[in-house]
Amino acid sequence: MPMYLNEDQAMLQDSAREFIATEAPVSHMRALRDEKCKDGFRHALWKQFAEMGFTGILIPEEDDGLGLGHVEAGIVLEEIGRNLTPSPFLTTSVAGVSALNAGGKALREKYFPGILSGDTVLGIAIEERAKHRPDQIAMAAERSGNGFKLNGKKSFVIHGASADALIVAARTSGSAGDSEGLTLFMVDKDAAGLSAEAARLVDSSMAAAVTFDNVEVDADAVIGEVDQGQDVLDALLHASRAGSAAELVGVGSGAMDMTVDYLKQRKQFGKLIGEFQALQHRASHLYSEMEIARAAVMKAQQLLDQGNEGADVMVSVAKAKAGRTTGLAVREGVQMHGGIGMTDEYDIGFYMKRDRALNEFMGDANYHANRVAQMHGY
Amino acid sequence: MSESSSDLDQFRSELRGWLEANCPEEMRQPVKSEDDIYWGGRNATFASDAQKAWFEACVAKGYTVPDWPKDYGGAGLSPAQHKIFKQEMARIKARAPLQSFGIWMLGPALLHFGTEEQKVHYLNQIARGEIRWCQGYSEPGSGSDLVSLQTFGEDKGDHWIVNGQKIWTSYADKCDWIFCLVRTDKEDKYRGISFLLFDMETPGVSTKPIKLISGNSPFCETFFDNVVVPKDQIVGELNRGWDVAKYLLGHEREMISGGGLGDGAPSLGARMTKVIGTDDAGNLDDPMLRAQLAQFDVDALAFKAMAEKFVDEMKARKGHPAKPNMMKYAGTELNKQRHELVMAAGGSDALEWESETSGHGAKPRTWLRTKANSIEGGTSEVMLNVISKRILDLPGA
Ligand SMILES: Cc1cc2nc3c(=O)[nH]c(=O)nc-3n(C[C@H](O)[C@H](O)[C@H](O)COP(=O)(O)OP(=O)(O)OC[C@H]3O[C@@H](n4cnc5c(N)ncnc54)[C@H](O)[C@@H]3O)c2cc1C
Ligand SMILES: Cc1cc2nc3c(=O)[nH]c(=O)nc-3n(C[C@H](O)[C@H](O)[C@H](O)COP(=O)(O)OP(=O)(O)OC[C@H]3O[C@@H](n4cnc5c(N)ncnc54)[C@H](O)[C@@H]3O)c2cc1C
């Protein structure tokens, strides 16, 4: 597979770029923030995503989706990132669908129609600590009747309070650190004993702390197999790591483009500040890093789509590289804007906030660099 | 593309068989020192029988320049076949049978700008490693600002008389011919330079080696005193040598940028466990260095993806034409970083300068040599200038 977009992918990019820039540019996000929108995203926009076919990108054709891959999902995510568009696309259509694809037919039949029509939003309930530690999942799921009883707490569940269902990772046996004994469940939002407390994050998105107090689920809520949830979790993690890396690249590119534009407009000392070599070199260095990060993300997506065993390393490379590079892009962005970059009225600060949240989502750059080292045996 | 994937599979399996039969075991080991590399040329000698056998097998198949046309000494491989060729060579860690400025730099320029006679003549010589080439661009007063060069070629009807001085001419004392930038019109800065080829044995050419901080002296001052250059030894048009030079620099930068990838080893950190050791938990026994190595491996793998993307885009003519400058910048800075880490991991053992066991100080000498990567072929600062101007379109850049 050559490392550039083929014709169909380029067409998808054109339509995603135009659609998202028109329907949900940064001003869309600003308006939601200003009105303190309780869900943090617009359901009407989610419906439009569905009409564009985006929500079904990773849903197989036999389930009425588009049957496309991570490269295509990444194309949409990069535009979401560039425009800071609040959307459940990453959690629902990327992370959620990937987990469900690794599970059975019954759950797919239950959830895919709603995702395809833009009615269903999924939340991902994995984290139990402030830092991403999926190998330390401890929450308990005890056998009870013909199903399970869930008890415990999950944090950083994006859209957790407005999701129609949550994908929950819990222990049916073993203890934190074991790779066996994990099970993934679909838990509907109305389940008795489930409570979600939403909080607004720095980037104005909404994430919930979710409490499970004797929440009962049937056996058919299990995604995949009992005690063997690691494979489903891995599919979810790969998809959401590669996906958030793609969104990060969009955020970084958006910040870089804004900054380079500003360098061409702002005059100081009788010159455009873009004429100062100190700023030119930093901008050019940033450009190089962004291009490298974009390539790393594309490589990870292609390997995932091929089912290549090298995908795991490359996904972590992609998330680590995109995390560090976009961090650089937003810091340089605010700095090179000078005083105006510090104002709420100007958009560049939004990029810095979004980067911070996306960096934490599914593991920051340090977490993933450490994983790369471990996978290489050192 | 007319090739089917079954054709390509067949090509791959034939190539595998050929490599198995023809690439000696010694040619699948990492290069230990400069002497291990075969550069060709009139006075070349082989370091071993294996080196000779491997070289000759490759010349016979056109595999010293696999993607050049067969008429010019290549194997005429398509882009897809060439990619497979590189993969299969890397898979068995085969060494390049021949390294040469002729292959990396002059050849591509001749393919683009040369006359048919020049192509048949010079390209076949390059492919067979008969002539070793050096590059005469830089002058004492003209480095980054190359168009300010002063070496002058006076028009004498059927030949030029060249006078002047070049500097930093890599391997000038070991090379047979030079591709040289010469001012042929003093009035026009850009359109007054021509691209000339001539024999280093021509009367009036002399060289003087310069010692590098690595202790080696691979490059020279080069002097031209009334050197006669026949008119048919110009590449491209008179006074338009700058176009050729720029085209060639693009290839030079691409070549140098590959350095960051090292010798195909996937992980520097993994290799360094042998040097540093691991703690009880199996982690590299130096947490700060482990973190730096991990960051480096992320950067290196990401850069590798970029390099693959770059090649794919160039072949499909989709990339930005100034992208080689970005590759050169990022690749050379990465390679310097790699050798800083190799030195840090080696500790006091990596300081040995002369002993037999240290390969005559291979580590510190290589480390010092890599510092030139961000200078030769255009400095990092100049690369950033080009990106600012041609890609980001910044004002006054
Ligand atoms: C929170 C805050 C509080 C402030 N409080 C006060 C206050 O109380 N009173 C007051 O008078 N001012 C105040 N300021 C203004 C502050 O002094 C200016 O923001 C600062 O001097 C930078 O000017 P600028 O914002 O116009 O940026 P610009 O001058 O437009 O700079 C934009 C970018 O270009 C770079 N740049 C500019 N010139 C060059 C050059 N020659 N070479 C290289 N790079 C260059 C800058 O470093 C910056 O990165 C405040 C600013 C902030 C953010
Ligand atoms: C190992 C090695 C091998 C070489 N081999 C060859 C060869 O075979 N043939 C050949 O012709 N040449 C060769 N060179 C020369 C090489 O191309 C030059 O060294 C290079 O172009 C830089 O020129 P300079 O050394 O004159 O540095 P200068 O141009 O004097 O630069 C000095 C410093 O100033 C910076 N600088 C210069 N201009 C600018 C600017 N506009 N903006 C910002 N910073 C700037 C540079 O980046 C550098 O840091 C070789 C060099 C080395 C080190």
Side-chain angles (χ1 to χ4, degrees):
Chain A
M1 215 185 286
M3 289 272 285
Y4 49 78
L5 301 182
N6 66 29
E7 250 169 68
D8 289 341
Q9 292 164 341
M11 266 166 58
L12 174 66
Q13 185 179 52
D14 286 345
S15 63
R17 187 163 286 180
E18 200 199 307
F19 167 73
I20 294 174
T22 311
E23 299 300 324
V26 184
S27 57
H28 170 87
M29 180 244 145
R30 178 184 288 280
L32 292 181
R33 195 234 12 202
D34 288 350
E35 74 186 44
K36 295 196 191 302
C37 171
K38 89 171 179 9
D39 287 340
F41 69 91
R42 281 247 194 283
H43 291 276
L45 182 70
W46 187 228
K47 280 268 192 196
Q48 283 176 285
F49 265 65
E51 281 156 25
M52 294 294 290
F54 297 160
T55 57
I57 283 181
L58 285 169
I59 294 179
E61 277 175 301
E62 69 204 57
D63 294 321
D64 299 324
L66 295 182
L68 298 171
H70 294 278
V71 172
E72 287 83 3
I75 287 169
V76 175
L77 282 162
E78 189 171 331
E79 299 313 313
I80 286 177
R82 198 186 311 282
N83 295 281
L84 305 178
T85 307
S87 163
F89 183 77
L90 180 57
T91 56
T92 306
S93 295
V94 180
V97 166
S98 296
L100 288 166
N101 279 340
K105 184 117 187 111
L107 286 175
R108 300 212 306 269
E109 278 173 356
K110 180 170 176 197
Y111 290 102
F112 283 173
I115 294 172
L116 284 167
S117 64
D119 291 306
T120 299
V121 168
L122 301 181
I124 306 299
I126 292 185
E127 311 293 358
E128 296 174 14
R129 306 182 181 190
K131 298 298 279 185
H132 179 64
R133 292 287 180 273
D135 52 336
Q136 296 296 319
I137 291 168
M139 184 178 142
E142 264 175 70
R143 279 186 191 275
S144 150
N146 87 340
F148 299 85
K149 203 188 279 176
L150 309 184
N151 275 297
K153 266 192 151 189
K154 292 282 180 182
S155 58
F156 198 36
V157 184
I158 308 287
H159 317 302
S162 39
D164 301 284
L166 301 181
I167 294 180
V168 184
R171 291 222 149 263
T172 34
S173 66
S175 54
D178 297 347
S179 69
E180 301 223 335
L182 272 183
T183 306
L184 272 78
F185 300 94
M186 290 299 305
V187 181
D188 286 331
K189 72 165 180 211
D190 316 314
L194 183 86
S195 59
E197 198 173 320
R200 195 171 302 280
L201 306 183
V202 63
D203 62 341
S204 114
S205 69
M206 299 300 289
V210 182
T211 307
F212 298 80
D213 182 12
N214 286 321
V215 173
E216 304 214 14
V217 292
D218 287 344
D220 55 16
V222 172
I223 315 172
E225 290 182 30
V226 177
D227 281 350
Q228 303 299 320
Q230 192 64 46
D231 291 349
V232 182
L233 181 61
D234 283 344
L236 183 156
L237 291 175
H238 283 149
S240 40
R241 287 166 176 172
S244 51
E247 188 174 339
L248 272 166
V249 165
V251 172
S253 303
M256 181 181 88
D257 291 349
M258 247 184 114
T259 306
V260 170
D261 266 359
Y262 191 70
L263 297 180
K264 294 175 187 173
Q265 289 163 22
R266 172 70 172 169
K267 274 194 164 169
Q268 288 289 280
F269 302 99
K271 283 184 178 181
L272 293 165
I273 56 174
E275 292 180 63
F276 296 119
Q277 197 179 52
L279 301 188
Q280 288 178 350
H281 282 191
R282 278 157 51 191
S284 295
H285 169 70
L286 172 58
Y287 162 80
S288 305
E289 292 291 295
M290 283 309 316
E291 286 295 292
I292 294 167
R294 182 177 280 108
V297 171
M298 180 179 255
K299 187 74 197 172
Q301 293 163 335
Q302 288 190 351
L303 293 176
L304 278 180
D305 287 336
Q306 290 161 5
N308 188 304
E309 57 183 40
D312 199 10
V313 175
M314 208 55 212
V315 166
S316 275
V317 167
K319 184 69 167 57
K321 187 73 193 176
R324 285 230 308 287
T325 304
T326 299
L328 178 70
V330 299
R331 288 192 301 274
E332 288 287 44
V334 169
Q335 175 63 22
M336 291 192 201
H337 276 83
I340 202 165
M342 290 298 298
T343 64
D344 183 69
E345 191 190 332
Y346 209 79
D347 289 338
I348 191 74
F350 284 149
Y351 284 86
M352 184 169 264
K353 295 172 183 178
R354 183 70 188 136
D355 165 63
R356 190 82 280 287
L358 269 179
N359 248 301
E360 287 308 320
F361 185 70
M362 298 292 161
D364 67 7
N366 290 335
Y367 176 87
H368 286 289
N370 184 49
R371 262 192 111 234
V372 170
Q374 282 171 341
M375 282 187 271
H376 282 126
Y378 67 97
Chain B
M1 191 146 300
S2 58
E3 301 161 287
S4 67
S5 63
S6 70
D7 289 346
L8 288 176
D9 287 344
Q10 195 191 338
F11 172 74
R12 190 189 291 275
S13 77
E14 280 171 15
L15 179 63
R16 262 188 204 186
W18 185 86
L19 286 172
E20 237 11 89
N22 288 282
C23 186
E25 200 45 47
E26 291 120 285
M27 293 295 104
R28 305 183 193 191
Q29 307 302 321
V31 173
K32 287 188 199 67
S33 73
E34 278 275 301
D35 306 335
D36 266 3
I37 297 169
Y38 186 64
W39 288 91
R42 282 178 194 143
N43 306 316
T45 50
F46 291 101
S48 67
D49 291 345
Q51 192 185 56
K52 180 166 189 276
W54 176 224
F55 170 74
E56 284 170 356
C58 286
V59 169
K61 287 287 273 189
Y63 284 166
T64 54
V65 285
D67 59 335
W68 291 7
K70 287 188 172 159
D71 287 352
Y72 308 144
L77 301 191
S78 69
Q81 288 174 326
H82 192 213
K83 194 167 177 173
I84 290 172
F85 180 83
K86 287 199 241 177
Q87 286 166 352
E88 291 302 315
M89 289 280 281
R91 197 178 57 85
I92 63 162
K93 303 198 173 72
R95 289 187 196 167
L98 171 68
Q99 302 212 25
S100 103
F101 286 13
I103 295 175
W104 298 324
M105 303 187 222
L106 180 60
L110 280 170
L111 280 166
H112 198 262
F113 292 97
T115 62
E116 187 55 29
E117 291 77 36
Q118 287 174 334
K119 287 185 197 174
V120 171
H121 180 69
Y122 294 115
L123 292 176
N124 276 297
Q125 280 183 341
I126 291 170
R128 293 194 301 262
E130 290 165 357
I131 297 290
R132 188 168 172 185
W133 289 89
C134 62
Q135 176 187 37
Y137 278 23
S138 304
E139 297 183 9
S142 305
S144 298
D145 183 16
L146 195 54
V147 283
S148 66
L149 63 90
Q150 297 296 322
T151 293
F152 187 63
E154 195 186 347
D155 194 333
K156 293 283 184 184
D158 66 338
H159 66 274
W160 291 281
I161 299 284
V162 175
N163 279 289
Q165 184 195 343
K166 295 285 171 182
I167 196 166
W168 320 133
T169 328
S170 294
Y171 308 111
D173 54 343
K174 296 194 174 71
C175 285
D176 308 309
W177 277 58
I178 188 167
F179 49 95
C180 195
L181 289 179
V182 173
R183 186 159 293 291
T184 36
D185 179 349
K186 288 185 176 167
E187 300 309 313
D188 192 326
K189 207 175 166 196
Y190 285 89
R191 295 194 171 180
I193 294 172
S194 298
F195 192 97
L196 307 185
L197 312 176
F198 53 91
D199 195 321
M200 293 292 278
E201 281 179 8
T202 318
V205 179
S206 59
T207 62
K208 200 170 126 203
I210 305 168
K211 204 167 178 179
L212 284 180
I213 54 176
S214 65
N216 298 340
S217 48
F219 65 178
C220 297
E221 288 181 280
T222 308
F223 303 92
F224 307 128
D225 180 17
N226 289 321
V227 179
V228 175
V229 180
K231 279 283 172 77
D232 62 354
Q233 290 175 200
I234 185 173
V235 180
E237 286 172 50
L238 180 69
N239 291 331
R240 301 305 291 269
W242 190 239
D243 297 341
V244 186
K246 271 198 309 193
Y247 184 85
L248 186 151
L249 273 173
H251 284 270
E252 179 177 7
R253 286 168 187 171
E254 242 178 279
M255 185 271 292
I256 298 172
S257 72
L261 299 178
D263 47 12
S267 161
L268 183 62
R271 283 170 53 193
M272 292 303 117
T273 54
K274 294 191 200 89
V275 183
I276 302 172
T278 49
D279 63 16
D280 294 344
N283 289 335
L284 196 110
D285 201 5
D286 183 331
M288 295 301 282
L289 194 54
R290 178 180 181 273
Q292 289 170 1
L293 285 162
Q295 305 273 28
F296 176 84
D297 277 338
V298 166
D299 287 340
L301 287 164
F303 180 78
K304 190 167 170 227
M306 179 64 229
E308 189 184 335
K309 184 161 182 269
F310 174 77
V311 171
D312 288 350
E313 284 175 351
M314 294 288 267
K315 286 188 174 146
R317 299 187 192 288
K318 283 173 183 285
H320 191 290
K323 226 168 177 178
N325 300 282
M326 186 274 270
M327 291 297 293
K328 204 270 176 183
Y329 167 67
T332 57
E333 294 297 336
L334 188 67
N335 199 41
K336 288 196 297 182
Q337 173 71 3
R338 162 183 289 272
H339 289 278
E340 285 296 333
L341 289 168
V342 168
M343 288 301 286
S348 59
D349 285 349
L351 303 175
E352 286 230 24
W353 188 250
E354 283 174 339
S355 68
E356 196 76 44
T357 48
S358 69
H360 301 280
K363 271 186 189 154
R365 287 175 203 270
T366 307
W367 162 65
L368 288 164
R369 175 61 181 82
T370 60
K371 299 305 173 194
N373 296 162
S374 53
I375 300 171
E376 60 198 325
T379 66
S380 282
E381 290 74 19
V382 168
M383 296 308 109
L384 292 170
N385 286 351
V386 176
I387 297 168
S388 300
K389 182 188 178 120
R390 295 192 45 208
I391 299 181
L392 300 181
D393 194 26
L394 286 168

